[in-house]
Coordinates of all heavy atoms in Angstrom, one line a residue:
M26 N 89.3 77.3 109.9 CA 88.2 77.8 110.7 C 87.4 78.8 110.0 O 88.0 79.7 109.3 CB 88.7 78.4 112.0 CG 87.7 79.0 112.9 SD 88.3 79.7 114.4 CE 88.0 78.3 115.5
T27 N 86.1 78.7 109.9 CA 85.2 79.6 109.2 C 84.7 80.6 110.3 O 84.1 80.2 111.3 CB 84.0 78.8 108.7 OG1 84.6 77.9 107.7 CG2 83.1 79.8 107.8
Y28 N 84.8 81.9 109.9 CA 84.3 82.9 110.7 C 82.9 83.4 110.2 O 82.7 83.6 109.0 CB 85.2 84.1 110.9 CG 86.5 83.7 111.6 CD1 87.7 83.4 111.0 CD2 86.5 83.7 113.0 CE1 88.8 83.0 111.7 CE2 87.6 83.3 113.7 CZ 88.8 83.0 113.0 OH 89.9 82.6 113.7
S29 N 82.0 83.7 111.1 CA 80.8 84.3 110.7 C 80.8 85.9 110.7 O 81.3 86.4 111.7 CB 79.7 83.9 111.7 OG 78.5 84.6 111.6
E30 N 80.5 86.4 109.6 CA 80.7 87.9 109.4 C 79.4 88.6 109.3 O 78.5 88.1 108.6 CB 81.5 88.2 108.1 CG 82.9 87.8 108.2 CD 83.7 88.1 106.8 OE1 83.0 88.5 105.9 OE2 84.9 88.1 106.9
L31 N 79.2 89.6 110.1 CA 78.0 90.6 110.0 C 78.5 91.7 109.2 O 79.4 92.5 109.6 CB 77.5 91.1 111.4 CG 76.4 92.1 111.3 CD1 75.2 91.6 110.5 CD2 76.1 92.5 112.7
I32 N 78.0 91.8 108.0 CA 78.4 92.9 107.0 C 77.3 94.0 106.9 O 76.1 93.6 106.6 CB 78.7 92.4 105.7 CG1 79.9 91.4 105.8 CG2 79.1 93.5 104.7 CD1 80.3 90.7 104.5
V33 N 77.6 95.2 107.3 CA 76.6 96.3 107.4 C 77.2 97.3 106.3 O 78.2 97.9 106.5 CB 76.5 97.0 108.7 CG1 75.6 98.1 108.7 CG2 76.1 95.9 109.8
D34 N 76.4 97.3 105.1 CA 76.8 98.2 104.0 C 76.1 99.4 104.0 O 74.8 99.4 103.6 CB 76.7 97.4 102.7 CG 77.5 98.1 101.6 OD1 77.8 99.3 101.7 OD2 77.6 97.4 100.6
L35 N 76.7 100.5 104.4 CA 76.0 101.8 104.4 C 76.4 102.7 103.3 O 76.1 104.0 103.3 CB 76.3 102.5 105.7 CG 76.1 101.7 107.0 CD1 76.5 102.5 108.3 CD2 74.6 101.3 107.1
R36 N 77.1 102.2 102.3 CA 77.5 103.0 101.1 C 76.2 103.5 100.4 O 75.3 102.7 100.3 CB 78.3 102.1 100.1 CG 79.7 101.9 100.7 CD 80.5 101.0 99.8 NE 80.0 99.6 99.9 CZ 80.5 98.6 99.3 NH1 81.6 98.7 98.6 NH2 80.0 97.4 99.6
G37 N 76.3 104.6 100.0 CA 75.2 105.3 99.3 C 74.2 106.0 100.3 O 73.3 106.7 99.9
R38 N 74.3 105.7 101.6 CA 73.5 106.4 102.7 C 74.2 107.7 103.1 O 75.3 107.6 103.5 CB 73.2 105.4 103.8 CG 72.3 106.0 104.8 CD 71.9 104.9 105.7 NE 71.1 105.5 106.8 CZ 70.1 104.8 107.4 NH1 69.9 103.5 107.1 NH2 69.4 105.4 108.2
P39 N 73.5 108.7 103.1 CA 74.1 110.0 103.6 C 74.3 109.9 105.2 O 73.4 109.6 105.9 CB 73.2 111.0 103.3 CG 71.8 110.4 103.1 CD 72.2 109.0 102.7
I40 N 75.6 110.0 105.6 CA 75.9 110.0 107.0 C 76.7 111.2 107.3 O 77.9 111.4 107.0 CB 76.7 108.7 107.3 CG1 76.0 107.4 107.1 CG2 77.1 108.8 108.8 CD1 76.6 106.2 107.3
E41 N 76.0 112.2 107.8 CA 76.7 113.5 108.0 C 77.1 113.7 109.6 O 78.0 114.5 109.9 CB 75.7 114.7 107.7 CG 75.3 114.7 106.3 CD 76.4 115.0 105.3 OE1 77.4 115.8 105.7 OE2 76.5 114.4 104.2
T42 N 76.4 113.0 110.5 CA 76.7 113.1 111.9 C 76.7 111.7 112.6 O 76.3 110.7 112.0 CB 75.5 114.0 112.6 OG1 74.3 113.2 112.5 CG2 75.3 115.3 111.9
L43 N 77.1 111.8 113.8 CA 77.1 110.5 114.6 C 75.7 110.0 114.7 O 75.4 108.7 114.7 CB 77.8 110.7 115.9 CG 79.3 110.6 115.9 CD1 79.8 111.0 117.4 CD2 79.8 109.3 115.4
N44 N 74.7 110.8 114.9 CA 73.3 110.4 114.9 C 72.9 109.8 113.7 O 72.2 108.7 113.7 CB 72.4 111.6 115.3 CG 72.4 111.9 116.7 OD1 72.5 111.0 117.6 ND2 72.1 113.2 117.0
D45 N 73.4 110.2 112.6 CA 73.0 109.6 111.3 C 73.7 108.1 111.3 O 73.1 107.2 110.9 CB 73.6 110.3 110.1 CG 72.9 111.6 109.9 OD1 71.7 111.8 110.3 OD2 73.5 112.5 109.1
F46 N 74.8 108.0 111.8 CA 75.5 106.8 112.0 C 74.8 105.8 112.8 O 74.5 104.6 112.5 CB 77.0 106.9 112.4 CG 77.7 105.6 112.6 CD1 78.3 105.0 111.4 CD2 77.9 104.8 113.7 CE1 78.9 103.7 111.4 CE2 78.6 103.7 113.9 CZ 79.1 103.1 112.7
W47 N 74.4 106.3 114.0 CA 73.6 105.4 114.9 C 72.2 105.0 114.3 O 71.8 103.8 114.4 CB 73.3 106.2 116.3 CG 74.4 106.7 117.0 CD1 74.5 107.9 117.6 CD2 75.7 106.1 117.2 NE1 75.7 108.1 118.1 CE2 76.5 107.0 117.9 CE3 76.3 104.9 116.9 CZ2 77.8 106.8 118.3 CZ3 77.6 104.6 117.2 CH2 78.3 105.6 118.0
D48 N 71.6 105.9 113.6 CA 70.3 105.5 112.9 C 70.6 104.4 111.9 O 69.8 103.5 111.7 CB 69.7 106.8 112.2 CG 69.2 107.7 113.1 OD1 69.0 107.5 114.3 OD2 69.0 109.0 112.6
A49 N 71.8 104.5 111.2 CA 72.1 103.6 110.1 C 72.4 102.2 110.6 O 72.1 101.2 109.9 CB 73.2 104.2 109.2
V50 N 73.2 102.1 111.8 CA 73.6 100.8 112.2 C 72.6 100.2 113.2 O 72.6 99.0 113.4 CB 74.9 100.9 112.9 CG1 76.0 101.3 111.9 CG2 75.0 101.7 114.1
A51 N 71.6 100.9 113.7 CA 70.7 100.5 114.7 C 70.0 99.2 114.4 O 70.0 98.2 115.0 CB 69.7 101.5 115.1
E52 N 69.3 99.2 113.2 CA 68.6 98.0 112.8 C 69.5 96.8 112.4 O 69.3 95.7 112.9 CB 67.6 98.3 111.7 CG 66.7 97.1 111.3 CD 65.7 97.5 110.1 OE1 65.4 98.6 109.9 OE2 65.3 96.5 109.5
P53 N 70.4 97.0 111.4 CA 71.2 95.9 111.0 C 72.1 95.2 112.1 O 72.5 94.0 112.1 CB 72.0 96.3 109.9 CG 72.1 97.8 109.9 CD 70.7 98.2 110.7
C54 N 72.4 96.0 113.1 CA 73.2 95.5 114.3 C 72.4 95.1 115.4 O 72.9 94.7 116.4 CB 74.2 96.7 114.7 SG 75.6 96.9 113.5
G55 N 71.0 95.3 115.2 CA 70.1 94.8 116.4 C 70.4 95.6 117.7 O 70.2 95.1 118.8
L56 N 70.5 97.0 117.6 CA 70.7 97.9 118.8 C 69.3 98.1 119.4 O 68.4 98.4 118.7 CB 71.4 99.1 118.4 CG 72.7 99.0 117.7 CD1 73.3 100.4 117.4 CD2 73.7 98.3 118.6
A57 N 69.3 97.9 120.7 CA 68.0 98.1 121.4 C 67.7 99.6 121.6 O 68.6 100.4 121.4 CB 68.1 97.6 122.9
E58 N 66.5 99.9 121.8 CA 66.0 101.3 122.0 C 66.8 101.9 123.0 O 67.0 103.1 123.0 CB 64.6 101.3 122.3 CG 63.7 100.9 121.2 CD 62.7 101.9 120.8 OE1 62.6 103.0 121.4 OE2 62.1 101.8 119.7
W59 N 67.3 101.2 124.0 CA 68.0 101.8 125.2 C 69.6 102.0 124.9 O 70.2 102.5 125.7 CB 67.9 101.0 126.5 CG 68.1 99.6 126.3 CD1 67.2 98.6 126.1 CD2 69.4 98.9 126.3 NE1 67.9 97.3 126.0 CE2 69.2 97.5 126.2 CE3 70.7 99.4 126.5 CZ2 70.2 96.6 126.1 CZ3 71.7 98.4 126.5 CH2 71.5 97.1 126.3
F60 N 69.9 101.7 123.6 CA 71.3 101.9 123.2 C 71.8 103.3 123.4 O 71.0 104.2 123.1 CB 71.6 101.4 121.8 CG 73.0 101.6 121.3 CD1 74.0 101.0 121.7 CD2 73.1 102.8 120.4 CE1 75.3 101.3 121.3 CE2 74.5 103.1 119.9 CZ 75.5 102.3 120.4
G61 N 72.9 103.5 124.0 CA 73.3 104.9 124.5 C 73.6 105.9 123.3 O 73.7 107.1 123.6
R62 N 73.7 105.5 122.1 CA 74.1 106.3 121.0 C 75.2 107.4 121.2 O 75.1 108.5 121.0 CB 72.8 107.2 120.5 CG 71.7 106.2 120.0 CD 70.4 106.9 119.7 NE 70.5 107.9 118.6 CZ 70.3 107.6 117.4 NH1 69.8 106.4 116.9 NH2 70.4 108.6 116.5
N63 N 76.3 106.7 121.7 CA 77.4 107.5 122.0 C 78.6 106.6 121.8 O 78.5 105.3 121.6 CB 77.5 108.2 123.4 CG 77.5 107.2 124.5 OD1 78.4 106.4 124.6 ND2 76.4 107.2 125.3
L64 N 79.8 107.2 121.6 CA 81.0 106.4 121.3 C 81.4 105.4 122.3 O 81.9 104.3 122.0 CB 82.3 107.4 121.1 CG 82.0 108.3 119.8 CD1 83.0 109.4 119.8 CD2 82.0 107.4 118.5
D65 N 81.2 105.7 123.6 CA 81.5 104.7 124.8 C 80.4 103.5 124.6 O 80.9 102.3 124.8 CB 81.3 105.4 126.1 CG 82.5 106.3 126.4 OD1 83.5 106.2 125.9 OD2 82.2 107.2 127.2
A66 N 79.2 103.8 124.3 CA 78.3 102.7 124.2 C 78.6 101.7 123.0 O 78.5 100.6 123.0 CB 76.9 103.2 124.0
W67 N 79.0 102.4 121.8 CA 79.4 101.7 120.7 C 80.7 100.8 121.0 O 80.7 99.6 120.6 CB 79.6 102.6 119.5 CG 80.0 101.8 118.2 CD1 81.2 101.9 117.6 CD2 79.2 101.1 117.4 NE1 81.2 101.2 116.5 CE2 79.9 100.6 116.4 CE3 77.8 100.6 117.6 CZ2 79.4 99.7 115.4 CZ3 77.3 99.8 116.7 CH2 78.1 99.3 115.6
S68 N 81.6 101.4 121.7 CA 82.8 100.6 122.0 C 82.4 99.4 122.9 O 82.9 98.3 122.6 CB 83.8 101.5 122.8 OG 84.9 100.8 123.2
D69 N 81.7 99.6 123.8 CA 81.2 98.4 124.6 C 80.5 97.4 123.8 O 80.6 96.2 124.0 CB 80.2 98.9 125.8 CG 80.9 99.7 126.9 OD1 82.2 99.7 126.9 OD2 80.2 100.4 127.6
T70 N 79.7 97.8 122.9 CA 78.8 97.0 122.0 C 79.7 96.1 121.1 O 79.5 94.9 121.0 CB 77.8 97.8 121.2 OG1 77.0 98.5 122.0 CG2 77.0 96.9 120.3
I71 N 80.7 96.7 120.5 CA 81.5 95.9 119.5 C 82.7 95.3 120.1 O 83.3 94.3 119.6 CB 81.9 96.7 118.3 CG1 82.9 97.8 118.5 CG2 80.6 97.2 117.6 CD1 83.3 98.5 117.4
E72 N 83.4 95.9 121.2 CA 84.5 95.3 121.8 C 84.1 94.3 122.9 O 84.7 93.2 122.9 CB 85.4 96.4 122.4 CG 86.0 97.2 121.4 CD 86.9 98.3 121.9 OE1 87.2 98.4 123.1 OE2 87.2 99.3 121.1
T73 N 83.4 94.7 123.9 CA 83.0 93.8 125.0 C 82.0 92.8 124.7 O 82.0 91.7 125.2 CB 82.6 94.8 126.2 OG1 83.6 95.7 126.4 CG2 82.4 93.9 127.5
R74 N 81.1 93.2 123.8 CA 79.9 92.4 123.4 C 78.9 92.3 124.6 O 79.2 92.9 125.6 CB 80.4 91.0 122.8 CG 81.4 91.1 121.6 CD 80.7 91.5 120.4 NE 81.7 91.7 119.3 CZ 81.6 91.2 118.1 NH1 80.8 90.2 117.8 NH2 82.5 91.4 117.2
G75 N 77.9 91.4 124.3 CA 77.0 91.2 125.4 C 75.9 92.3 125.4 O 75.1 92.3 126.3
I76 N 75.8 93.2 124.4 CA 74.8 94.2 124.3 C 73.8 93.9 123.2 O 72.6 94.1 123.3 CB 75.4 95.6 124.2 CG1 76.2 95.9 125.5 CG2 74.4 96.6 123.9 CD1 77.0 97.1 125.5
S77 N 74.4 93.4 122.0 CA 73.5 93.2 120.9 C 73.7 91.7 120.5 O 74.7 91.2 120.2 CB 74.0 94.0 119.7 OG 73.5 93.5 118.5
E78 N 72.5 91.0 120.5 CA 72.5 89.6 120.1 C 72.9 89.4 118.7 O 73.5 88.4 118.4 CB 71.1 89.0 120.4 CG 70.8 88.8 121.9 CD 69.4 88.2 122.1 OE1 68.9 87.5 121.1 OE2 68.9 88.3 123.2
V79 N 72.5 90.4 117.9 CA 72.9 90.3 116.5 C 74.4 90.3 116.3 O 75.1 89.5 115.6 CB 72.3 91.3 115.6 CG1 72.6 91.4 114.2 CG2 70.7 91.2 115.6
I80 N 75.1 91.3 116.8 CA 76.6 91.4 116.8 C 77.2 90.2 117.5 O 78.1 89.7 116.9 CB 77.0 92.8 117.4 CG1 76.6 93.9 116.5 CG2 78.6 92.8 117.5 CD1 76.9 95.2 117.1
D81 N 76.7 89.9 118.6 CA 77.2 88.7 119.4 C 77.1 87.4 118.6 O 78.0 86.6 118.9 CB 76.6 88.6 120.8 CG 76.8 89.8 121.7 OD1 77.6 90.7 121.3 OD2 76.2 89.8 122.7
S82 N 76.3 87.2 117.7 CA 76.1 86.0 117.1 C 77.0 85.9 115.9 O 77.0 84.9 115.1 CB 74.7 85.8 116.6 OG 74.3 86.8 115.6
H83 N 77.9 86.9 115.7 CA 78.8 86.9 114.7 C 80.2 87.0 115.2 O 80.4 87.7 116.2 CB 78.6 87.9 113.6 CG 77.3 87.7 112.9 ND1 76.1 88.2 113.4 CD2 77.0 87.2 111.6 CE1 75.2 87.9 112.5 NE2 75.6 87.3 111.5
D84 N 81.2 86.4 114.5 CA 82.6 86.5 115.0 C 83.2 87.9 114.6 O 84.1 88.5 115.3 CB 83.4 85.4 114.3 CG 83.0 84.1 114.7 OD1 82.8 83.8 116.0 OD2 82.7 83.2 113.8
I85 N 82.8 88.5 113.4 CA 83.4 89.6 112.8 C 82.3 90.6 112.5 O 81.3 90.2 111.8 CB 84.3 89.3 111.6 CG1 85.4 88.4 112.1 CG2 84.8 90.6 111.0 CD1 86.2 87.7 111.0
L86 N 82.5 91.8 112.7 CA 81.7 92.9 112.2 C 82.4 93.7 111.3 O 83.4 94.2 111.6 CB 81.1 93.8 113.5 CG 80.5 95.1 113.1 CD1 79.1 94.9 112.4 CD2 80.2 96.0 114.3
I87 N 81.8 94.0 110.1 CA 82.4 94.8 109.0 C 81.3 95.9 108.7 O 80.2 95.5 108.3 CB 82.8 94.0 107.8 CG1 83.8 92.9 108.3 CG2 83.4 94.9 106.7 CD1 84.1 92.0 107.2
V88 N 81.7 97.2 108.8 CA 80.8 98.3 108.4 C 81.4 99.0 107.2 O 82.6 99.4 107.3 CB 80.5 99.1 109.6 CG1 79.6 100.3 109.1 CG2 79.9 98.4 110.8
H89 N 80.7 99.1 106.2 CA 81.2 99.8 104.9 C 80.5 101.2 104.9 O 79.3 101.2 105.0 CB 80.8 99.0 103.7 CG 81.6 97.7 103.5 ND1 82.9 97.6 103.0 CD2 81.1 96.4 103.9 CE1 83.2 96.4 103.0 NE2 82.2 95.7 103.5
V90 N 81.3 102.2 104.7 CA 80.7 103.5 104.5 C 81.5 104.3 103.4 O 82.6 103.9 103.0 CB 80.9 104.4 105.8 CG1 80.1 103.8 106.9 CG2 82.4 104.6 106.2
D91 N 80.9 105.4 102.9 CA 81.4 106.2 101.8 C 82.3 107.2 102.5 O 82.0 107.6 103.6 CB 80.4 106.9 101.1 CG 79.6 106.0 100.2 OD1 80.2 105.1 99.6 OD2 78.4 106.2 100.0
Q92 N 83.3 107.5 101.8 CA 84.2 108.7 102.2 C 83.7 110.0 101.9 O 84.1 110.7 101.0 CB 85.7 108.5 101.6 CG 86.7 109.5 102.1 CD 87.9 109.2 101.4 OE1 88.2 108.4 100.6 NE2 89.0 110.1 101.8
R93 N 82.6 110.4 102.6 CA 82.0 111.6 102.5 C 81.2 111.9 103.8 O 81.1 111.0 104.6 CB 81.1 111.7 101.3 CG 79.9 110.8 101.5 CD 79.0 110.9 100.2 NE 77.9 109.9 100.4 CZ 77.1 109.6 99.4 NH1 77.1 110.2 98.2 NH2 76.1 108.7 99.6
G94 N 80.7 113.2 103.9 CA 80.0 113.5 105.2 C 80.9 113.3 106.4 O 82.0 113.8 106.4
L95 N 80.4 112.5 107.3 CA 81.1 112.3 108.6 C 82.5 111.8 108.3 O 83.5 112.1 109.0 CB 80.3 111.3 109.5 CG 80.9 111.0 110.8 CD1 81.1 112.3 111.7 CD2 80.0 109.9 111.5
F96 N 82.6 110.9 107.2 CA 83.9 110.2 107.0 C 84.7 111.0 105.8 O 85.6 110.3 105.3 CB 83.7 108.8 106.6 CG 82.9 108.1 107.7 CD1 81.5 107.8 107.7 CD2 83.6 107.7 108.9 CE1 80.9 107.1 108.7 CE2 83.0 107.1 109.9 CZ 81.7 106.8 109.8
G97 N 84.2 112.1 105.5 CA 84.9 112.8 104.3 C 86.1 113.7 104.6 O 86.6 114.2 103.7
G98 N 86.4 113.9 105.8 CA 87.4 114.8 106.2 C 88.1 114.4 107.5 O 88.0 113.3 107.9
D99 N 88.7 115.5 108.1 CA 89.4 115.1 109.3 C 88.4 115.6 110.6 O 88.9 116.5 111.2 CB 90.8 115.8 109.3 CG 91.6 115.4 110.5 OD1 91.5 114.2 110.9 OD2 92.4 116.2 110.9
R100 N 87.4 114.9 110.7 CA 86.4 115.3 111.8 C 86.8 114.5 113.0 O 86.9 113.3 113.0 CB 85.0 115.1 111.3 CG 84.7 116.1 110.2 CD 83.3 116.0 109.7 NE 82.2 116.1 110.7 CZ 81.0 115.9 110.4 NH1 80.6 115.8 109.1 NH2 80.1 116.0 111.4
Q101 N 86.9 115.2 114.1 CA 87.3 114.5 115.4 C 86.4 113.3 115.7 O 86.9 112.3 116.1 CB 87.3 115.5 116.6 CG 87.6 115.0 117.9 CD 89.0 114.5 118.0 OE1 89.9 114.8 117.2 NE2 89.2 113.4 118.9
E102 N 85.1 113.5 115.7 CA 84.2 112.4 116.1 C 84.3 111.2 115.1 O 84.2 110.1 115.6 CB 82.7 112.9 116.2 CG 82.1 113.3 114.8 CD 82.3 114.9 114.7 OE1 83.1 115.5 115.3 OE2 81.5 115.4 113.8
A103 N 84.6 111.5 113.9 CA 84.9 110.4 112.9 C 86.1 109.7 113.2 O 86.2 108.4 113.2 CB 84.8 110.8 111.5
N104 N 87.1 110.4 113.6 CA 88.5 109.9 114.0 C 88.3 108.9 115.2 O 88.9 107.8 115.2 CB 89.5 110.9 114.2 CG 89.8 111.7 112.9 OD1 89.7 111.1 111.8 ND2 90.4 112.8 112.9
V105 N 87.6 109.4 116.2 CA 87.4 108.6 117.4 C 86.6 107.3 117.1 O 86.9 106.3 117.5 CB 86.7 109.4 118.5 CG1 86.3 108.5 119.7 CG2 87.6 110.6 119.0
L106 N 85.5 107.4 116.2 CA 84.8 106.3 115.9 C 85.5 105.4 115.1 O 85.6 104.1 115.5 CB 83.6 106.8 114.9 CG 82.7 105.7 114.4 CD1 82.0 104.9 115.6 CD2 81.6 106.3 113.5
V107 N 86.4 105.8 114.1 CA 87.2 104.9 113.3 C 88.2 104.1 114.4 O 88.4 102.9 114.2 CB 88.0 105.7 112.3 CG1 89.1 104.9 111.6 CG2 87.1 106.1 111.2
G108 N 88.7 104.9 115.4 CA 89.6 104.2 116.3 C 89.0 103.1 117.2 O 89.7 102.4 117.7
I109 N 87.7 103.1 117.3 CA 87.0 102.1 118.1 C 87.1 100.7 117.4 O 87.2 99.7 118.1 CB 85.5 102.6 118.5 CG1 85.6 103.8 119.4 CG2 84.8 101.4 119.1 CD1 84.3 104.4 119.6
F110 N 87.1 100.8 116.1 CA 87.1 99.5 115.4 C 88.6 99.0 115.4 O 89.5 99.8 115.1 CB 86.7 99.8 113.9 CG 85.3 100.0 113.7 CD1 84.7 101.2 113.8 CD2 84.5 98.9 113.3 CE1 83.4 101.5 113.6 CE2 83.2 99.1 113.1 CZ 82.5 100.5 113.3
D111 N 88.8 97.8 115.7 CA 90.1 97.3 115.9 C 90.8 96.8 114.7 O 92.1 96.5 114.7 CB 90.2 96.1 117.0 CG 89.4 94.9 116.6 OD1 89.0 94.8 115.4 OD2 89.1 94.0 117.5
G112 N 90.1 96.7 113.6 CA 90.7 96.3 112.3 C 90.8 94.8 112.2 O 91.1 94.3 111.1
E113 N 90.4 94.0 113.2 CA 90.4 92.6 113.1 C 89.0 92.1 113.3 O 88.4 91.7 112.4 CB 91.4 92.1 114.1 CG 92.8 92.3 113.7 CD 93.8 91.9 114.7 OE1 93.6 90.9 115.5 OE2 94.9 92.4 114.8
Q114 N 88.6 92.0 114.6 CA 87.2 91.5 114.9 C 86.1 92.5 114.4 O 85.0 92.1 114.1 CB 87.1 91.2 116.4 CG 85.8 90.7 116.8 CD 85.6 90.5 118.3 OE1 86.3 91.0 119.1 NE2 84.5 89.7 118.6
N115 N 86.5 93.8 114.5 CA 85.5 94.8 114.1 C 86.3 95.8 113.1 O 87.3 96.4 113.4 CB 85.2 95.7 115.4 CG 84.6 94.7 116.4 OD1 83.7 94.1 116.3 ND2 85.3 94.7 117.5
R116 N 85.7 95.9 111.9 CA 86.3 96.7 110.9 C 85.4 97.7 110.3 O 84.2 97.5 110.0 CB 86.8 95.7 109.7 CG 87.7 94.6 110.1 CD 88.0 93.7 109.0 NE 88.5 92.4 109.5 CZ 88.4 91.3 108.9 NH1 87.6 91.1 107.8 NH2 88.8 90.2 109.5
L117 N 85.9 98.9 110.1 CA 85.2 100.0 109.4 C 86.0 100.2 108.1 O 87.2 100.5 108.1 CB 85.2 101.3 110.2 CG 84.5 102.4 109.5 CD1 83.0 102.2 109.4 CD2 84.8 103.8 110.3
V118 N 85.3 100.0 107.0 CA 85.9 100.2 105.7 C 85.4 101.4 105.1 O 84.2 101.5 104.7 CB 85.6 99.0 104.7 CG1 86.3 99.2 103.4 CG2 86.1 97.7 105.4
V119 N 86.2 102.4 104.8 CA 85.8 103.7 104.2 C 86.1 103.6 102.7 O 87.3 103.4 102.4 CB 86.4 104.9 104.9 CG1 86.0 106.1 104.2 CG2 86.2 104.9 106.4
H120 N 85.2 103.8 101.9 CA 85.3 103.6 100.4 C 85.3 105.0 99.8 O 84.4 105.8 100.1 CB 84.1 102.8 99.8 CG 84.1 101.4 100.3 ND1 84.8 100.3 99.6 CD2 83.5 100.8 101.4 CE1 84.5 99.2 100.2 NE2 83.7 99.5 101.3
G121 N 86.4 105.2 99.0 CA 86.4 106.5 98.2 C 85.3 106.5 97.2 O 84.9 105.4 96.6
L122 N 84.8 107.6 96.8 CA 83.8 107.8 95.8 C 84.5 107.6 94.4 O 85.5 108.3 94.2 CB 83.1 109.1 96.0 CG 82.3 109.2 97.2 CD1 81.6 110.6 97.3 CD2 81.3 108.1 97.4
V123 N 83.8 106.9 93.5 CA 84.3 106.9 92.1 C 83.6 107.7 91.1 O 82.5 108.2 91.4 CB 84.3 105.4 91.7 CG1 85.4 104.6 92.3 CG2 83.0 104.8 91.8

């Protein structure tokens, strides 16, 4: 079986806050202007589906980020965000800097 993947590559983009993350994923994930820009809204969007036609049209969502800024340490909001991705249908890949 072939799965359709939506790959959002944010490597090289500075992401210091959750607002930066929402700004970065809004266009490639087809988030509407009314998207809540919070962790509950993101969870509904990627887990429950039915909010973004772009995400819904793919079987798997993969988001690539650098291990810096929001994802560079032990920040509570980053940890919660990471936990929303299930690692199967929705994946967040944090890349170390070389």
Side-chain angles (χ1 to χ4, degrees):
M26 173 180 262
T27 302
Y28 291 99
S29 170
E30 295 180 345
L31 172 59
I32 299 173
V33 179
D34 193 343
L35 304 177
R36 290 176 286 185
R38 184 171 179 151
I40 300 176
E41 299 295 327
T42 66
L43 281 175
N44 279 331
D45 293 339
F46 181 78
W47 307 137
D48 290 344
V50 297
E52 184 179 336
C54 289
L56 301 179
E58 292 243 348
W59 52 262
F60 174 73
R62 295 176 65 95
N63 63 63
L64 295 168
D65 289 334
W67 183 248
S68 177
D69 290 344
T70 301
I71 67 172
E72 289 179 16
T73 308
R74 306 280 173 127
I76 294 171
S77 163
E78 290 182 17
V79 173
I80 292 174
D81 294 354
S82 68
H83 294 83
D84 300 305
I85 298 169
L86 168 65
I87 303 171
V88 179
H89 295 271
V90 297
D91 289 323
Q92 186 179 0
R93 65 177 177 190
L95 180 62
F96 302 101
D99 191 28
R100 294 178 54 183
Q101 178 63 27
E102 63 270 19
N104 292 337
V105 174
L106 178 59
V107 169
I109 292 172
F110 288 83
D111 65 13
E113 294 177 24
Q114 182 182 18
N115 306 298
R116 302 177 196 146
L117 179 69
V118 181
V119 181
H120 296 268
L122 299 176
V123 287

